[in-house]
Amino acid sequence: MSKNVIRSITAIAVLFCLVWLVGLGWAVGEYYAGKPEKVPERTTEKTEVKSKKGLNIVALGDSLTRGTGDETGKGYVGVLMDEIKEKTKGPVQLTNLGINGQRSDQLRKQVQEKEVGRQIEKADLVLVTIGGNDLFRGGQAIMDFGNDDIATIEKKYLENLKAIFEQIRKNNPDANVFFIGLYNPFINLDQGKEMSKVVRHWNYDSAEVSAAFPKIIFVPTFDLFELKVNDYLYSDKFHPNSKGYRLIAERVASLLTW
């Protein structure tokens, strides 16, 4: 290749390099001379969990919702109310619709009532205890826990539970619902361990139904009573005493966020 050709190629390359450098300098100058795009500010606002107008709580279910056995008369609902009032700035209103002895089929009918539906509709928080009377039947379950009757009873209960949650969600799709699981009050009896297996299975199936619905939280209580059940039971050896109810309330309170 002749020296003239090499010089020509070199000259062209140098020329292209100069053009590229000039273009780069012009582009950089335009970038810094122009008005930069505004960078969005990082938001620090937090979503307030509680309504400024206050918090509405609706409690549904059986004698545990009523607080039967609590010497103070509060039950877990009352203790939980005290906890919430300490942490919230606004007023807290409670509507306790629990009925002693209520079963799941009865609660299923209750939540379909117009006035009950209206209360659920305006609730921020719904508390539910149900199933103990279906399973234990006043202590009868400890006598026939091994029978096929338990499976039949549970099947009907789960159908009712699903219908109850469907109705609650129909009335109020947004409220947090806390569904309290069962403990075994008969754990210290001769057949207590076998009954514990039944209760654990019952709770597992109940939790599965709960999990199928948004914002319905199953709250386990079996472990709270398992080791010292007699310390937390009322004199009827079935309902919780004030200590037992406090354990349940504290478990629910631990799941609340503020």
Side-chain angles (χ1 to χ4, degrees):
M1 185 179 293
S2 66
K3 293 182 178 180
N4 290 332
V5 174
I6 294 175
R7 287 176 184 153
S8 297
I9 294 174
T10 302
I12 293 171
V14 170
L15 179 62
F16 275 111
C17 184
L18 289 173
V19 171
W20 179 81
L21 288 173
V22 171
L24 177 63
W26 176 82
V28 172
E30 283 292 306
Y31 176 82
Y32 283 104
K35 185 178 180 180
E37 183 180 357
K38 184 178 180 181
V39 178
E41 295 182 1
R42 185 177 180 180
T43 178
T44 58
E45 184 178 355
K46 295 182 180 179
T47 302
E48 181 65 67
V49 176
K50 299 172 288 298
S51 170
K52 293 180 179 180
K53 296 181 180 180
L55 191 68
N56 288 317
I57 301 175
V58 172
L60 302 166
D62 49 30
S63 55
L64 295 189
T65 294
R66 297 307 308 175
T68 301
D70 187 349
E71 299 87 344
T72 68
K74 290 185 176 182
Y76 91 92
V77 174
V79 176
L80 181 62
M81 282 286 293
D82 292 342
E83 293 267 348
I84 292 175
K85 287 179 180 178
E86 289 181 3
K87 296 181 179 180
T88 183
K89 297 179 180 179
V92 182
Q93 180 178 341
L94 169 66
T95 303
N96 193 325
L97 301 174
I99 300 174
N100 288 333
Q102 183 156 244
R103 302 184 308 272
S104 62
D105 59 324
Q106 295 169 321
L107 179 57
R108 180 176 180 174
K109 294 179 181 178
Q110 185 186 22
V111 295
Q112 293 174 359
E113 296 174 5
K114 185 176 180 180
E115 177 58 26
V116 174
R118 191 179 70 83
Q119 295 295 335
I120 294 174
E121 183 179 359
K122 65 181 184 179
D124 301 297
L125 178 66
V126 179
L127 306 171
V128 182
T129 64
I130 201 67
N133 294 309
D134 294 70
L135 174 59
F136 297 125
R137 290 160 288 150
Q140 182 62 32
I142 197 65
M143 304 300 295
D144 59 5
F145 65 87
N147 295 343
D148 293 337
D149 290 344
I150 293 292
T152 301
I153 291 170
E154 184 186 13
K155 182 180 179 181
K156 292 180 180 179
Y157 156 77
L158 293 175
E159 291 173 354
N160 291 330
L161 186 64
K162 181 180 178 183
I164 290 166
F165 290 156
E166 287 175 343
Q167 187 63 45
I168 290 175
R169 277 290 162 254
K170 181 179 179 180
N171 291 326
N172 190 328
D174 300 319
N176 289 316
V177 179
F178 290 92
F179 174 46
I180 314 303
L182 300 184
Y183 58 90
N184 179 15
F186 309 118
I187 196 169
N188 283 342
L189 301 182
D190 292 340
Q191 296 173 321
K193 292 184 178 180
E194 288 79 3
M195 193 63 205
S196 287
K197 295 179 182 178
V198 173
V199 175
R200 284 195 295 264
H201 184 270
W202 185 283
N203 282 334
Y204 176 83
D205 290 341
S206 298
E208 287 291 295
V209 173
S210 305
F213 294 85
K215 302 176 74 172
I216 295 185
I217 300 95
F218 178 82
V219 183
T221 64
F222 183 91
D223 61 304
L224 299 176
F225 292 77
E226 186 175 11
L227 297 180
K228 296 182 178 180
V229 65
N230 286 330
D231 290 349
Y232 304 122
L233 292 182
Y234 182 55
S235 58
D236 63 5
K237 298 302 179 181
F238 184 75
H239 294 95
N241 56 22
S242 59
K243 293 180 180 178
Y245 278 117
R246 179 164 293 279
L247 289 178
I248 297 173
E250 290 174 351
R251 174 62 60 82
V252 178
S254 70
L255 299 174
L256 296 174
T257 54
W258 308 95

